[in-house]
Amino acid sequence: RGKDEKYKVRMPKLRMAKEYKDKRKSIDDVERNIFKFKKSSEEKSKKMDKEEKFFRETFMYQKEIRVLARATAARSVRSGRRADLPLTAGEQLDVIEAMQGHALICRNAQGRYGYVLVEHLNFR
């Protein structure tokens, strides 16, 4: 027995580094803050509902809103009227409906609707 105990390897007790503890605490804090994201998404959905209601009233649009295509804004354009959609270069837009002429009804990422000229868009 004495010889067996003599050659027995003892494993050292592992201790956590201080930096690892700090990282672990920050990860736990992020997991606890999940509810804040839900609150902001609720606010965003309320804003999008408000924009959709405004869109339906302004454009007298009674049909179901369906995305026909996706387009990218070729250049930045300011809007002259509330019915026009302001664009920034490279912005992704959902085409909702093609009107007569060169205008399309589009929706941007913030949920805002408006008219956009075909000349300002790139389709893939």
Side-chain angles (χ1 to χ4, degrees):
R1 287 188 184 178
K3 291 180 182 179
D4 292 340
E5 289 177 9
K6 184 177 179 183
Y7 296 110
K8 188 174 182 182
V9 178
R10 295 189 181 231
M11 296 297 291
K13 187 174 182 182
L14 298 175
R15 299 188 181 178
M16 278 192 221
K18 190 173 184 180
E19 300 91 27
Y20 179 74
K21 284 183 182 179
D22 294 339
K23 285 183 184 177
R24 189 169 157 199
K25 286 180 184 177
S26 65
I27 291 170
D28 291 341
D29 293 342
V30 170
E31 289 174 0
R32 290 183 189 137
N33 291 335
I34 292 173
F35 301 110
K36 290 184 181 179
F37 294 113
K38 288 184 180 178
K39 184 178 179 183
S40 65
S41 65
E42 287 176 11
E43 292 172 1
K44 188 175 180 181
S45 66
K46 286 180 184 177
K47 184 178 178 184
M48 291 185 88
D49 290 341
K50 182 180 174 184
E51 288 289 340
E52 183 179 335
K53 183 179 177 185
F54 179 80
F55 163 70
R56 289 189 182 278
E57 291 173 358
T58 305
F59 294 89
M60 292 180 253
Y61 196 82
Q62 303 302 326
K63 298 184 263 180
E64 179 185 352
I65 297 174
R66 292 185 310 159
V67 177
L68 301 177
R70 291 189 57 89
T72 306
R75 61 183 87 118
S76 297
V77 179
R78 288 187 176 183
S79 63
R81 312 175 287 168
R82 174 65 172 113
D84 294 336
L85 186 64
L87 300 176
T88 56
E91 182 179 18
Q92 294 287 325
L93 300 171
D94 296 331
V95 177
I96 304 299
E97 185 162 333
M99 305 299 290
Q100 293 178 350
H102 297 285
L104 301 172
I105 295 178
C106 295
R107 175 178 61 198
N108 64 6
Q110 288 81 29
R112 189 166 174 203
Y113 296 84
Y115 288 116
V116 177
L117 294 177
V118 177
E119 304 151 5
H120 303 303
L121 300 177
N122 289 331
F123 292 94
R124 289 187 179 187

